[in-house]
Amino acid sequence: QVQLVESGGGLVKPGGSLRVSCAASGFIISDFYMTWVRQGPGKGLECISYMSNTGNTIHYIDSVKGRFTISRDNAKNSLYLEMNSLRVEDTAVYYCARGSSGPARWYYGMDVWGQGTTVTVAS
Amino acid sequence: SFELSQPPSVSVSPGQTANITCSADNLGRKNVCWYQQKSGQSPVLVIFQDTRRPSGIPERFSGSNSGNTATLTISETQAIDEADYFCQGWDATTEAFGGGTKLTVL
């Protein structure tokens, strides 16, 4: 069964750090573009970071660049997002999602999503 | 970067056709996907490559993309289609999500 399961969310103070994880099953994450998408309370979707299947292409949106780091562990078939210098505006549900296998990252859309993990940044 | 505009809400009667639009300059030159998100759930892909449906998505869902506007059309709308719908536009160098449209089936 193709599945993504996120974990690691929680409550953290502004300026703090957190690492969220995404465990994949039923497919190999290094065969696909993988992305982290967040959704603030009552807000829309925002693709904040993605990694290509080869690992050679990594992208961040400007608001998280220098603070967040995407990585993966092929042996554990897992994707990670290390978040540092967290801000109140980073409060959101964080989803990992599967993209395409190949050079066009969303050629088949984001076709598999996890259930999300909630990150709350508050003092 | 670019921004995608969606109407905040659309209402439709059961059995009727719902059209949800997504607009940006020259959006027809980009690829568009559509995602359905029911309350408290994760998004689900319903359209990719402007017009294609993933397996398991009912034929009632269709998409188009031309000029400055992409449209998600839901024919014979059912109560179970009530959800938020987000468009995503992308090309080789950039991407964006629309702000989402809440579809209400009255």
Side-chain angles (χ1 to χ4, degrees):
Chain A
Q1 181 184 2
V2 174
Q3 193 175 3
L4 294 168
V5 178
E6 298 95 336
S7 61
L11 174 64
V12 61
K13 288 182 167 53
S17 298
L18 202 62
R19 187 178 85 153
V20 292
S21 303
C22 171
S25 56
F27 72 99
I28 300 172
I29 63 167
S30 58
D31 287 342
F32 294 85
Y33 272 76
M34 297 295 297
T35 184
W36 286 100
V37 176
R38 71 182 178 185
Q39 186 171 34
K43 296 187 177 180
L45 303 172
E46 183 177 43
C47 177
I48 59 170
S49 179
Y50 63 78
M51 175 183 284
S52 65
N53 51 340
T54 63
N56 291 336
T57 298
I58 289 177
H59 173 78
Y60 303 97
I61 60 171
D62 287 345
S63 61
V64 307
K65 203 172 293 185
R67 300 188 299 124
F68 290 12
T69 302
I70 189 172
S71 64
R72 73 184 183 204
D73 184 330
N74 292 341
K76 294 184 178 180
N77 207 30
S78 293
L79 184 73
Y80 304 99
L81 186 68
E82 183 78 34
M83 301 181 288
N84 297 315
S85 303
L86 281 160
R87 305 168 180 168
V88 171
E89 55 264 35
D90 295 320
T91 295
V93 176
Y94 285 73
Y95 298 99
C96 65
R98 187 178 81 171
S100 300
S101 56
R105 61 193 184 285
W106 316 134
Y107 191 75
Y108 297 107
M110 298 177 188
D111 65 341
V112 181
W113 293 68
Q115 86 288 353
T117 188
T118 301
V119 173
T120 303
V121 185
S123 54
Chain B
S1 64
F2 65 103
E3 292 186 2
L4 294 171
S5 296
Q6 296 183 239
S9 63
V10 168
S11 297
V12 65
S13 299
Q16 299 303 303
T17 297
N19 290 298
I20 299 173
T21 58
C22 175
S23 300
D25 287 344
N26 297 311
L27 184 58
R29 297 182 182 180
K30 301 186 189 302
N31 299 280
V32 173
C33 302
W34 289 92
Y35 300 88
Q36 175 195 68
Q37 186 178 34
K38 296 183 178 180
S39 181
Q41 298 184 18
S42 303
V44 172
L45 177 70
V46 295
I47 294 288
F48 65 98
Q49 291 177 28
D50 298 343
T51 61
R52 297 179 65 182
R53 279 178 293 104
S55 61
I57 300 301
E59 292 183 9
R60 304 182 287 105
F61 289 83
S62 62
S64 64
N65 184 20
S66 179
N68 296 327
T69 303
T71 302
L72 173 68
T73 298
I74 309 173
S75 304
E76 301 178 346
T77 306
Q78 302 178 11
I80 58 170
D81 299 328
E82 190 161 283
D84 293 325
Y85 290 85
F86 296 91
C87 60
Q88 179 200 18
W90 64 276
D91 61 20
T93 59
T94 191
E95 63 190 54
F97 277 103
T101 297
K102 182 176 183 60
L103 177 68
T104 301
V105 183
L106 300 169

